[in-house]
Amino acid sequence: MNISLTHQHAVICGSTQGIGLASASALASLGATCILIARNEDALKAAVEKLSAKHGQQHSYRVADFSRQEDVQKAIEDIISNHSVTVLVNNTGGPKAGPIAEATTEAFSNAFQQHLICNQILTQAVLPGMKSAGYGRIINIVSTSVRTPLLNLGVSNTIRAAVASWAKSLSNEVGQYNITVNNVLPGLTNTARLQSLVQQTAASQHISTETVEENMRSSVPMKRFGEAEEIANVVAFLASPAASYVNGTSIPVDGGRTPTV
């Protein structure tokens, strides 16, 4: 089974921590040269230093704030002027939790730009190079809310569904060029995002964070949270030649928590 990514260049967004950083680490371990994108330059420098370079890669980074469309456009234009990108991992922090009835229209607009619009900017930039190379992998880190809406995540549920529909539409168009588009749907994963949701839930329900975590773990058939590396392993497989006929899918990586078939 060919899972080598030697000589491939991968752009990984939101890659200074959590699933983004774990994905970059997994891709680098398979030989990919990684270009990280995030908004904190110090954190980016530290993340690049953590990546394996056993295949002689020279990893790099670009600074971009995903709330600023022009930042993302500038970063990806700079990247493709120097590299032929064949792997793109779209990953951005989730919108603030809360009931959908209480969400502002601005919250929807901001989330739509940070997720779907930025995905579109990045994808349009890398597609010509992928077509020329005859190889492309576009992988979106989304959420299990694509399958079933999650409680108290109204804005996130809405925007994630839009991203999934965008990705499916794109997969139908670019599959003929050996470019695949897939979504990875993390469940309850041990990241800073999960800890933030735990604290918000505890505060709103007036219970301890320990109780919230135990309730969350009990909702998972495997009775534990996932680790970022477990999500990253699926990302790495989808990026590899071995996943050549996996296209247009949304794959839950959630320990079996999603109730749908």
Side-chain angles (χ1 to χ4, degrees):
M1 184 170 67
N2 182 8
I3 57 171
S4 173
L5 291 174
T6 304
H7 307 307
Q8 306 291 348
H9 286 80
V11 169
I12 307 97
C13 304
S15 41
T16 57
Q17 62 180 334
I19 294 170
L21 178 56
S23 296
S25 297
L27 296 173
S29 72
L30 297 182
T33 297
C34 295
I35 304 102
L36 312 185
I37 302 180
R39 64 184 178 181
N40 186 315
E41 186 167 15
D42 288 339
L44 281 164
K45 289 178 180 178
V48 166
E49 290 298 317
K50 296 176 183 177
L51 302 180
S52 169
K54 64 183 179 181
H55 297 276
Q57 307 104 300
Q58 292 186 326
H59 307 298
S60 59
Y61 68 85
R62 300 295 187 281
V63 178
D65 185 338
F66 276 61
S67 67
R68 293 171 53 85
Q69 183 175 320
E70 59 272 22
D71 278 12
V72 176
Q73 186 79 55
K74 181 180 178 181
I76 195 61
E77 287 178 356
D78 184 47
I79 291 169
I80 63 174
S81 70
N82 294 285
H83 306 288
S84 178
V85 175
T86 50
V87 178
L88 171 63
V89 180
N90 287 313
N91 175 53
T92 308
K96 184 179 178 181
I100 197 167
E102 298 176 7
T104 64
T105 54
E106 183 180 24
F108 286 99
S109 298
N110 291 343
F112 190 79
Q113 172 168 306
Q114 291 174 20
H115 291 264
L116 197 142
I117 299 301
C118 286
N119 286 4
Q120 177 74 357
I121 290 170
L122 294 164
T123 298
Q124 284 186 322
V126 301
L127 275 177
M130 290 181 174
K131 290 179 180 179
S132 296
Y135 186 95
R137 300 287 188 265
I138 299 169
I139 303 158
N140 310 298
I141 310 300
V142 197
S143 166
T144 54
S145 65
V146 167
R147 294 289 181 84
T148 181
L150 302 175
L151 290 176
N152 207 43
L153 289 171
V155 175
S156 181
N157 293 338
T158 304
I159 301 305
R160 305 293 196 181
V163 170
S165 183
W166 167 84
K168 184 63 175 179
S169 300
L170 181 64
S171 72
N172 293 337
E173 297 177 7
V174 301
Q176 62 186 308
Y177 305 109
N178 194 33
I179 300 170
T180 64
V181 185
N182 293 289
N183 303 316
V184 174
L185 315 181
L188 296 173
T189 310
N190 191 18
T191 62
R193 165 72 168 173
L194 179 64
Q195 290 306 311
S196 175
L197 293 175
V198 166
Q199 291 170 9
Q200 290 178 43
T201 301
S204 66
Q205 296 183 6
H206 305 291
I207 57 178
S208 69
T209 56
E210 291 78 11
T211 299
V212 173
E213 288 186 358
E214 181 55 34
N215 291 341
M216 287 181 169
R217 280 192 291 268
S218 68
S219 71
V220 181
M222 297 185 74
K223 304 305 177 187
R224 66 175 178 86
F225 295 146
E227 297 298 330
E229 291 76 14
E230 294 177 298
I231 313 301
N233 289 339
V234 178
V235 173
F237 170 72
L238 290 173
S240 75
S244 56
Y245 207 53
V246 182
N247 187 37
T249 63
S250 291
I251 304 173
V253 188
D254 65 348
R257 183 170 184 258
T258 299
T260 58
V261 176

